[in-house]
Amino acid sequence: DLCFTPQGNAVLSASADGSVRAFDLLRYRNFRTFASPDGLCQFSSLAVDSGGEIVAASAKGGKYAIYVWSIQTGNILEILTGHTSFVQTLHFSPSANHPGQLVSGSWDGSLNVWDLYAGTKGGAAEALQCSS
């Protein structure tokens, strides 16, 4: 998956090689590479928050976790778990009233709304079931 930062000065990619990479579009170089702490997962969907400060990527398989990093430092901020199947999509809220609000959609039939600033380790999620 690919996405631009809101400022449009960088593009990020999620890869099956186990990395999320940030590329500077002014200098045309990779300026940050993110990976899971154990280095053993592949990434699929990807999202950047409206401030361009946080990137989130979903892992294929395993615990179906969502990894959240600081773009500036490269440090992992959170590992969100709660889905029981592949996480197909991720999006941050564009609203300034809800910074750090992330929604994830999974093949398990749920949408999870995560509040990364709620002060709860692992984020606070509210699950919405999508019946077919």
Side-chain angles (χ1 to χ4, degrees):
D1 198 13
L2 300 168
C3 71
F4 284 96
T5 58
Q7 299 82 1
N9 60 351
V11 66
L12 288 97
S13 67
S15 177
D17 74 358
S19 70
V20 171
R21 297 176 190 271
F23 296 91
D24 181 334
L25 294 177
L26 300 174
R27 295 184 185 96
Y28 293 104
R29 66 179 182 89
N30 173 212
F31 69 90
R32 184 87 62 226
T33 301
F34 309 94
S36 67
D38 61 13
L40 299 175
C41 69
Q42 300 175 324
F43 294 104
S44 57
S45 57
L46 182 68
V48 176
D49 77 321
S50 61
E53 299 174 1
I54 298 172
V55 61
S58 63
K60 293 181 181 178
K63 296 178 184 175
Y64 305 107
I66 300 164
Y67 293 82
V68 182
W69 298 272
S70 163
I71 292 177
Q72 184 176 6
T73 66
N75 293 335
I76 192 144
L77 302 174
E78 295 282 352
I79 300 173
L80 308 173
T81 57
H83 286 293
T84 58
S85 189
F86 177 68
V87 177
Q88 176 72 37
T89 188
L90 294 172
H91 289 283
F92 276 97
S93 171
S95 171
N97 295 330
H98 301 286
Q101 190 174 58
L102 175 71
V103 64
S104 57
S106 171
W107 286 3
D108 64 12
S110 69
L111 295 174
N112 281 358
V113 181
W114 307 88
D115 185 351
L116 300 178
Y117 299 143
T120 307
K121 192 67 179 161
E126 178 156 343
L128 307 170
Q129 289 302 314
C130 304
S131 58
S132 48

